[in-house]
Amino acid sequence: AFHAFYLSNLTVHTDLYDGVADGLRALAAAGHQLAVLTNKPGEPCRAILTRFGLIDLFSAVVGGGDVPSLKPDPEGLRACLARAGAAASDAWMVGDHCTDLAVAENAGVRSAFVTYGFGEQRGLKPTAYFASFPELIGYFV
């Protein structure tokens, strides 16, 4: 019952941070391969991206259940890299929690920590910090 309710109400109280839709489109237009790696179940994540009209911007969307292990295990990030045709040395993991920083470290990719999220660093050191999504976009575009 929970699964059915969750799937039918995915975006009832969900919204994008300011600048995210335009920023993702700008990254894609600049030639960046985009992917999503989340510990949330993959099926609802892909449905949310579809409802916001963003799914086509991503080479890969990997969530819980799509690979056997969750972040910080690097398997999901490696799957994203493979689907995007990207090397770890060319990739960035952007996130707001220590699991994002740890998976980047475990997969050998650079990391960007966004300070406006709800997570914590827990002593891990990202490659870069960003206080807003537009600031992050300005760095890469």
Side-chain angles (χ1 to χ4, degrees), residues 27-80:
L27 287 169
H32 294 285
Q33 292 290 318
L34 306 176
V36 172
L37 175 62
T38 179
N39 283 348
K40 294 173 181 67
E43 178 187 356
C45 181
R46 288 183 287 276
I48 290 168
L49 291 170
T50 299
R51 288 188 188 169
F52 282 117
L54 301 173
I55 191 74
D56 293 337
L57 298 176
F58 297 95
S59 300
V61 179
V62 176
D66 296 331
V67 292
S69 303
L70 299 175
K71 297 182 288 183
D73 186 285
E75 184 176 21
L77 185 48
R78 289 184 182 136
C80 288

Side-chain angles (χ1 to χ4, degrees), residues 1-129:
F2 170 78
H3 187 70
F5 178 82
Y6 182 57
L7 288 176
S8 64
N9 291 280
L10 288 172
T11 56
V12 171
H13 297 289
T14 300
D15 205 357
L16 299 173
Y17 285 111
D18 289 339
V20 168
D22 290 339
L24 291 172
R25 289 185 184 98
L27 287 169
H32 294 285
Q33 292 290 318
L34 306 176
V36 172
L37 175 62
T38 179
N39 283 348
K40 294 173 181 67
E43 178 187 356
C45 181
R46 288 183 287 276
I48 290 168
L49 291 170
T50 299
R51 288 188 188 169
F52 282 117
L54 301 173
I55 191 74
D56 293 337
L57 298 176
F58 297 95
S59 300
V61 179
V62 176
D66 296 331
V67 292
S69 303
L70 299 175
K71 297 182 288 183
D73 186 285
E75 184 176 21
L77 185 48
R78 289 184 182 136
C80 288
L81 292 171
R83 292 178 194 172
S89 60
D90 296 326
W92 284 78
M93 176 70 187
V94 177
D96 69 349
H97 200 270
C98 60
T99 55
D100 302 312
L101 300 176
V103 73
E105 185 175 299
N106 293 340
V109 305
R110 292 169 286 187
S111 61
F113 188 77
V114 293
T115 59
Y116 58 88
F118 62 87
E120 309 171 338
Q121 281 183 253
R122 294 193 188 161
L124 295 167
K125 303 292 183 205
T127 308
Y129 292 88

